[in-house]
Amino acid sequence: MSQGLFITFEGIDGSGKSTQARLLATLMRDYGNDVIHTREPGGSTGAEDIRRLLVEGDPGRWSPETEILLFTAARRDHLERTIQPALDAGKVVISDRFADSTRVYQGVARADLRGTVDALHDQMIGKEPDLTFIIDMDPEAALKRGLARNSGEDRFEDMGLQFQKDLRAGFLALAKQYPDRCKVINGNQSPATVSGEIQAVIEAWQR
Ligand code: TMP
């Protein structure tokens, strides 16, 4: 069985990571790889159903504990049906968010629940990316950008600026915890510059 490559993108809301995930998917296809571009919450039929419960509606709709269970349920389905089969087939999987988002959103910013997040991850997911790009961006500018989209998926953006600042600190701390796989990229630059920096990391990684 061949071994694929698992790459994730992380960052606060409005950081530009989705654009970068898409650009990297195109680049990896240009390099001749078979690429699955996916996202969380979502990425499989069942997980997309759970996504709507999580990203729409009132900020107080779920407690942080319930969110951990819902995100982990969605992730388990995504892993079983989309990610693991693709990796087993030797493909490159690029996911817009994965377990680091739960570590930071539910484990640090929503509540001090990192131990619970880690325990559930170990039992139900047990998978880490090979490489994670954390797109680091000024929280104020990112929040403006995120809310301006009017996507109807603003439940976490509606938690306010301090929440986004806590998220940023959480992602930077996470990068220090996992220095081998996490690469912090300055997102306060043009999309083309950000994408050039990501390409340089990928080329160095593949050598
Ligand atoms: P997206 O806007 O990047 O598609 O992500 C949807 C929202 O869900 C975003 O505000 C971050 C949040 N989220 C969590 O709180 N925990 C998680 O584990 C994941 C994957 C996303």
Side-chain angles (χ1 to χ4, degrees):
M1 207 180 282
S2 52
Q3 182 61 48
L5 180 63
F6 184 25
I7 302 172
T8 58
F9 279 81
E10 298 282 359
I12 64 176
D13 299 284
S15 60
K17 65 178 173 40
S18 302
T19 301
Q20 294 303 327
R22 196 171 56 245
L23 291 172
L24 183 61
T26 303
L27 180 74
M28 295 303 271
R29 284 189 188 109
D30 289 347
Y31 286 161
N33 297 290
D34 201 343
V35 176
I36 300 288
H37 176 201
T38 185
R39 69 167 180 182
E40 289 207 353
S44 62
T45 306
E48 289 288 337
D49 286 344
I50 297 172
R51 177 186 176 92
R52 278 186 285 280
L53 297 173
L54 282 160
V55 298
E56 295 174 9
D58 192 77
R61 182 176 187 183
W62 309 110
S63 71
E65 288 83 352
T66 310
E67 278 175 14
I68 292 172
L69 294 168
L70 288 170
F71 278 114
T72 306
R75 181 162 306 127
R76 174 76 197 202
D77 195 63
H78 185 209
L79 183 65
E80 283 177 5
R81 292 169 196 266
T82 304
I83 297 174
Q84 197 59 56
L87 292 175
D88 289 345
K91 297 180 185 176
V92 173
V93 176
I94 298 176
S95 187
D96 183 349
R97 297 195 186 280
F98 188 66
D100 292 329
S101 283
T102 315
R103 292 183 175 118
V104 173
Y105 277 74
Q106 282 68 44
V108 176
R110 287 278 278 137
D112 184 10
L113 285 170
R114 180 64 197 274
T116 307
V117 170
D118 286 349
L120 204 57
H121 179 83
D122 289 348
Q123 287 228 352
M124 288 294 155
I125 309 296
K127 179 106 203 154
E128 299 300 341
D130 299 300
L131 189 55
T132 297
F133 290 102
I134 295 176
I135 310 299
D136 181 40
M137 167 101 192
D138 169 50
E140 213 159 327
L143 185 59
K144 266 197 203 127
R145 183 150 87 184
L147 286 172
R149 278 186 203 133
N150 254 323
S151 64
E153 292 192 332
D154 293 339
R155 194 173 151 256
F156 288 91
E157 276 109 324
D158 288 343
M159 292 181 192
L161 181 58
Q162 187 55 50
F163 182 70
Q164 297 295 326
K165 288 181 176 170
D166 294 345
L167 289 172
R168 174 171 186 251
F171 277 118
L172 294 178
L174 199 81
K176 290 210 172 90
Q177 191 188 347
Y178 301 108
D180 291 346
R181 72 170 167 87
C182 289
K183 311 291 170 202
V184 178
I185 306 286
N186 177 7
N188 304 289
Q189 312 180 85
S190 72
T193 306
V194 174
S195 133
E197 291 189 7
I198 289 169
Q199 181 170 355
V201 171
I202 288 287
E203 284 173 359
W205 177 268
Q206 289 181 328
R207 266 200 295 272

